[in-house]
Amino acid sequence: ASMARLVPATPGAVPVGLPERTARFAYRLLWGFAHIFSILALAAAWEILARSGTFTPFQLPALSAVLERIWSDATYGDLWINTGLTLYRALVAFAICAVLGVLIGMAMSRNVIANWFFDPIVSVGFPMPKIAFLPVVILWLGVYDVSKITIIVIDAIFPVIAATVIAIQGVERELIWSARNMGANNRELLYQIILPAASPQIMTGLQVALPLSLIVAVVAEMLMGGYGLGGAMITASRFANSTSVFAGILEIAVVGYVLVKVMSLIRRRVLIWHQEAHAPSTA
């Protein structure tokens, strides 16, 4: 009986047991290494160039020295304070963008007056660099959290609005006609037909807005000063502390990567009913 479990039931079948599990583990290990190979190569090149004397320590500190700085900041708590403040500003602004952006997009798609009012604002505001409003925000609100969150919202809300409008307008007319014929009222039509059908594109808009919120948060901290990852970087730059500047770059890269991955996971959970959730992942 034990031998029967090791022999394939049909010619060409893969034996079930340890060899198959080992092969799968080796495949996943190699595939995971292939995914991070470029990062490892970049890290190795960074360390080699810094140690070779091609650049001065001021121009390009060694990666090992930068990692030591990050560890020191984490040990003394500065890393967690700055990261927490930056994430707080970015995520609060993102939540505001998510709620207001979807509501405005829904209104523009379903109401003629709302579309008449907001469409020129979105058309003009979307392509322009909204960071230009920063001096005005500083004059009105100062340089504290309210002003930083405000400029993030001004910058990151437009992708959500645009994605919501395009998503709702792109819902198949046949779905709406079928729901109407079955007696659905406007509320049921919106929440049971239109929003679920539009949710993949709306989620795409949110996925654009989240890293944009982090980017603008860092830029605002650099320009306004104070605590936060951007503020710590600009302070280090003023004191010619190159190692801390590069440490800030790595910290922001890691935070951004984690946010993007978390948002991708949320998308798959929210759209578990959608066909894209069952498609093979390339990530």
Side-chain angles (χ1 to χ4, degrees):
S2 59
M3 289 297 293
R5 287 196 294 268
L6 298 177
V7 177
T10 58
V14 178
V16 178
L18 184 59
E20 182 184 2
R21 291 198 296 269
T22 303
R24 289 179 179 177
F25 175 77
Y27 174 79
R28 291 174 182 174
L29 188 63
L30 289 174
W31 188 245
F33 177 77
H35 271 214
I36 64 172
F37 174 77
S38 58
I39 300 296
L40 295 176
L42 179 61
W46 180 353
E47 184 72 17
I48 292 170
L49 284 174
R51 297 292 183 184
S52 66
T54 305
F55 299 95
T56 66
F58 177 78
Q59 292 175 317
L60 184 66
L63 177 59
S64 55
V66 173
L67 294 177
E68 288 177 8
R69 171 59 62 182
I70 294 175
W71 176 258
S72 176
D73 291 343
T75 302
Y76 287 102
D78 293 341
L79 173 62
W80 313 118
I81 294 173
N82 291 325
T83 303
L85 285 172
T86 299
L87 282 176
Y88 160 72
R89 294 159 184 157
L91 293 179
V92 168
F94 171 73
I96 296 172
C97 290
V99 174
L100 289 183
V102 171
L103 289 178
I104 292 173
M106 288 169 53
M108 290 176 63
S109 301
R110 306 286 295 170
N111 187 279
V112 175
I113 296 177
N115 185 70
W116 165 81
F117 180 80
F118 286 109
D119 185 67
I121 298 175
V122 174
S123 299
V124 173
F126 201 163
M128 74 171 294
K130 272 75 70 179
I131 199 69
F133 288 102
L134 186 60
V136 178
V137 172
I138 293 175
L139 286 174
W140 288 359
L141 301 175
V143 294
Y144 300 104
D145 283 350
V146 173
S147 58
K148 292 170 182 173
I149 292 172
T150 300
I151 193 63
I152 298 170
V153 171
I154 292 173
D155 210 312
I157 196 173
F158 287 94
V160 182
I161 297 174
T164 303
V165 172
I166 294 171
I168 292 178
Q169 290 178 348
V171 175
E172 296 179 4
R173 301 296 99 181
E174 291 80 1
L175 290 176
I176 298 176
W177 295 335
S178 299
R180 288 289 191 193
N181 291 334
M182 296 179 68
N185 56 38
N186 288 334
R187 184 183 182 88
E188 293 171 339
L189 188 67
L190 178 62
Y191 290 103
Q192 298 182 21
I193 303 297
I194 295 177
L195 283 182
S199 56
Q201 283 186 281
I202 294 175
M203 288 298 299
T204 299
L206 295 176
Q207 285 181 287
V208 173
L210 181 57
L212 185 59
S213 298
L214 177 64
I215 293 169
V216 179
V218 172
V219 172
E221 290 168 354
M222 286 181 174
L223 296 176
M224 295 184 185
Y227 288 99
L229 294 176
M233 284 183 63
I234 204 65
T235 300
S237 177
R238 288 169 181 164
F239 285 95
N241 189 341
S242 179
T243 304
S244 292
V245 172
F246 279 88
I249 293 173
L250 278 184
E251 291 160 5
I252 293 168
V254 172
V255 171
Y257 177 81
V258 171
L259 286 181
V260 168
K261 287 301 181 182
V262 169
M263 193 64 189
S264 297
L265 179 61
I266 293 174
R267 179 191 181 100
R268 291 183 66 86
R269 294 294 184 184
V270 171
L271 302 180
I272 194 170
W273 54 271
H274 196 264
Q275 59 183 3
E276 73 174 49
H278 305 286
S281 175
T282 58

